[in-house]
Amino acid sequence: MDISLAAANLMLILVLLAGVGLTLFGLPGNLVILATAVGYGFIEGFAHFDVRFLLILGGVFLLGEAAEFGAGMIGARRANASGRAAAAAFFGGLLGALAGSAVLPVLGTVAGAVAGAFALSYLAELSKTGDRGQSAR
């Protein structure tokens, strides 16, 4: 086995393990895993797996994200948040991630998503209840 091939395989394994680790901390590790698989497929010419595998992996990614979103909605409802606040958190997270990516890729994306989700859900809940304490929960 060529040393550069062994190094490339080791790097691939480390990136995939980093994706799993990121997922454990609530960061976008699933996206890292999916992007790594797509990149590997393009580099090696889809000799070891085909586009169908990537579509299945993408479907599993989307199902996982949907389950995570649903769990967040359930948690928000248990904390007596309104549906308006939950929807605002979703869109605030998307907008914040886009804005944060423009400022500082990766770290800005995560920080922007958190800040955007909190800010819009806080404003949505505040506009509905007028209670700052309930809005900040």
Side-chain angles (χ1 to χ4, degrees):
M1 177 181 266
D2 185 44
I3 191 75
S4 61
L5 180 61
N9 282 332
L10 180 62
M11 192 62 141
L12 178 70
I13 290 168
L14 290 174
V15 169
L16 291 173
L17 288 174
V20 172
L22 287 171
T23 302
L24 294 175
F25 292 104
L27 298 171
N30 293 337
L31 187 58
V32 170
I33 293 170
L34 179 62
T36 303
V38 170
Y40 178 76
F42 278 115
I43 289 170
E44 58 95 30
F46 296 102
H48 295 99
F49 57 85
D50 57 359
V51 175
R52 183 179 38 176
F53 174 78
L54 290 177
L55 290 174
I56 291 170
L57 189 61
V60 169
F61 166 73
L62 290 175
L63 283 174
E65 291 301 313
E68 184 179 354
F69 178 71
M73 294 290 281
I74 291 170
R77 296 304 288 171
R78 286 195 177 163
N80 294 326
S82 65
R84 177 193 307 181
F90 175 73
F91 290 112
L94 289 177
L95 293 173
L98 289 173
S101 294
V103 175
L104 180 66
V106 183
L107 292 177
T109 305
V110 174
V114 171
F118 175 77
L120 277 186
S121 65
Y122 178 82
L123 291 174
E125 194 68 22
L126 184 63
S127 71
K128 182 175 181 185
T129 64
D131 181 11
R132 290 179 186 211
Q134 170 66 24
S135 300
R137 273 177 51 191

